[in-house]
Amino acid sequence: MKIAIIDDHRLFLEAMHRVLRDEFPVVEVLAFQRAGEAFAHLKSESEPDLMLVDLAMPEIDGFGFIDRLNQLKLSVPVVVLSATESLFQVRRALEAGAVGFIPKTLSVEDTVAAIRTVIETGEYLPAQVRSGLRKISNRGEAGVANLSPRQFEVMVLVAKGLSNQAIAKGLGISLATVKSHVQVVLAELGVSNRTQCALRAVKLGLLMPSEIE
C-alpha cells in the first residue's frame, strides 16, 4: 500500500511522514511539499492508494488539486487534512470528490485512528463535522450559493476582520474590486455592515466563532 501526503508546511509534512512510517510500517509513505511535485510523480509512478491533502497550498490549493485529479480521471481517494474550521470549506471539498476530512487539531492518536478508518471503510468525518454539515443542509445558506468563489474568499476575510486594503493585497486584486465584492457579499447575506457579515457567516455555519475577530 502507498500513502501520499501533500502539504506545504515542511515541519508538519515531516512529522506526518514519521508518524505514518511508525504506525504503518508495511506502507510506503510519500511526502510532497507542492501539488506539482505530486502530479509529476503520478506521471511516472503508480498511483497511491490514498492521498492526504492540505487545502491551503500555494500554486495549486487543495480544491484545485482535487479538480485536477478529476480532470485526469484519476480515482485516487483523497482525504483533506487541514487546519480549516469552516464547514463550508469541508463541504466544498467533499462535493469536489474528497472521501473524508481530518482536522489538523486532532491528536496524533486520533489522526492515526482516522486514517485507519479511511483505509478500512473508505471514508472519515469527525462526528462534530457530520453534525455541523447536517445543520447547514437543514438551515440553508440564504444567498451564499450565489457568491462566486472569489466573493466567498472576500466574505471570509471580511468576517476575519481584514480591511479592504489588506484583502486587496492578500488576494492580489485592486481595492475597487474588493469594494465591489464586499457590496455583493453584504447584499447576498442580507446585512448592512462587516460585523453583521461575520455574525451571519458564523450563524450559517460557514465559519467557526474562533475564526472571526
Side-chain angles (χ1 to χ4, degrees), residues 5-18 30-35 37 52-62 81-84 104:
I5 318 163
I6 302 95
D7 195 298
D8 65 309
H9 292 88
R10 180 176 292 278
L11 289 178
F12 180 83
L13 185 67
E14 292 176 352
M16 278 300 302
H17 188 264
R18 287 195 297 271
L30 307 173
F32 304 101
Q33 202 169 355
R34 294 288 186 274
E37 297 172 0
L52 306 175
V53 181
D54 188 19
L55 286 182
M57 297 188 293
E59 300 173 8
I60 303 175
D61 64 12
L81 184 59
S82 177
T84 184
K104 285 185 176 180

Side-chain angles (χ1 to χ4, degrees), residues 17-78:
H17 188 264
R18 287 195 297 271
V19 167
L20 292 178
R21 282 188 308 175
D22 292 342
E23 296 292 335
F24 303 92
V26 299
V27 172
E28 180 183 358
V29 183
L30 307 173
F32 304 101
Q33 202 169 355
R34 294 288 186 274
E37 297 172 0
F39 283 118
H41 177 86
L42 288 172
K43 289 181 180 180
S44 59
E45 303 290 341
S46 60
E47 297 177 13
D49 298 283
L50 176 65
M51 285 188 163
L52 306 175
V53 181
D54 188 19
L55 286 182
M57 297 188 293
E59 300 173 8
I60 303 175
D61 64 12
F63 300 114
F65 184 87
I66 296 172
D67 288 342
R68 182 78 179 277
L69 286 178
N70 293 334
Q71 292 169 9
L72 295 174
K73 300 187 184 303
L74 298 176
S75 57
V76 186
V78 173

Side-chain angles (χ1 to χ4, degrees), residues 153-171 178 182 194 211-213:
E153 285 184 290
V154 170
M155 181 200 73
V156 170
L157 296 176
V158 166
K160 288 183 175 181
L162 273 69
S163 67
N164 286 351
Q165 290 83 356
I167 294 172
K169 182 177 180 180
L171 297 181
V178 172
V182 170
R194 302 167 87 91
E211 292 184 282
I212 68 172
E213 296 182 1

Side-chain angles (χ1 to χ4, degrees), residues 77-207:
V78 173
V79 171
V80 170
L81 184 59
S82 177
T84 184
E85 295 184 52
S86 168
L87 292 173
F88 185 90
Q89 298 285 63
V90 174
R91 192 180 71 173
R92 181 182 167 194
L94 295 175
E95 290 176 343
V99 300
F101 167 75
I102 300 176
K104 285 185 176 180
T105 52
L106 290 185
S107 66
V108 172
E109 293 77 10
D110 287 343
T111 299
V112 170
I115 293 172
R116 290 189 190 280
T117 298
V118 173
I119 293 172
E120 294 170 2
T121 69
E123 62 179 8
Y124 174 80
L125 282 179
Q128 67 272 25
V129 172
R130 287 185 184 277
S131 176
L133 292 175
R134 283 196 297 270
K135 289 178 181 179
I136 287 179
S137 178
N138 293 337
R139 183 163 52 226
E141 291 169 4
V144 174
N146 296 325
L147 298 178
S148 69
R150 177 64 82 188
Q151 289 165 348
F152 182 81
E153 285 184 290
V154 170
M155 181 200 73
V156 170
L157 296 176
V158 166
K160 288 183 175 181
L162 273 69
S163 67
N164 286 351
Q165 290 83 356
I167 294 172
K169 182 177 180 180
L171 297 181
I173 57 180
S174 70
L175 182 58
T177 298
V178 172
K179 290 180 177 178
S180 175
H181 286 330
V182 170
Q183 290 178 345
V184 172
V185 166
L186 296 181
E188 291 294 344
L189 291 181
V191 298
S192 58
N193 58 54
R194 302 167 87 91
T195 299
Q196 291 176 355
C197 172
L199 295 176
R200 183 67 171 160
V202 170
K203 183 178 180 180
L204 290 172
L206 305 177
L207 293 173

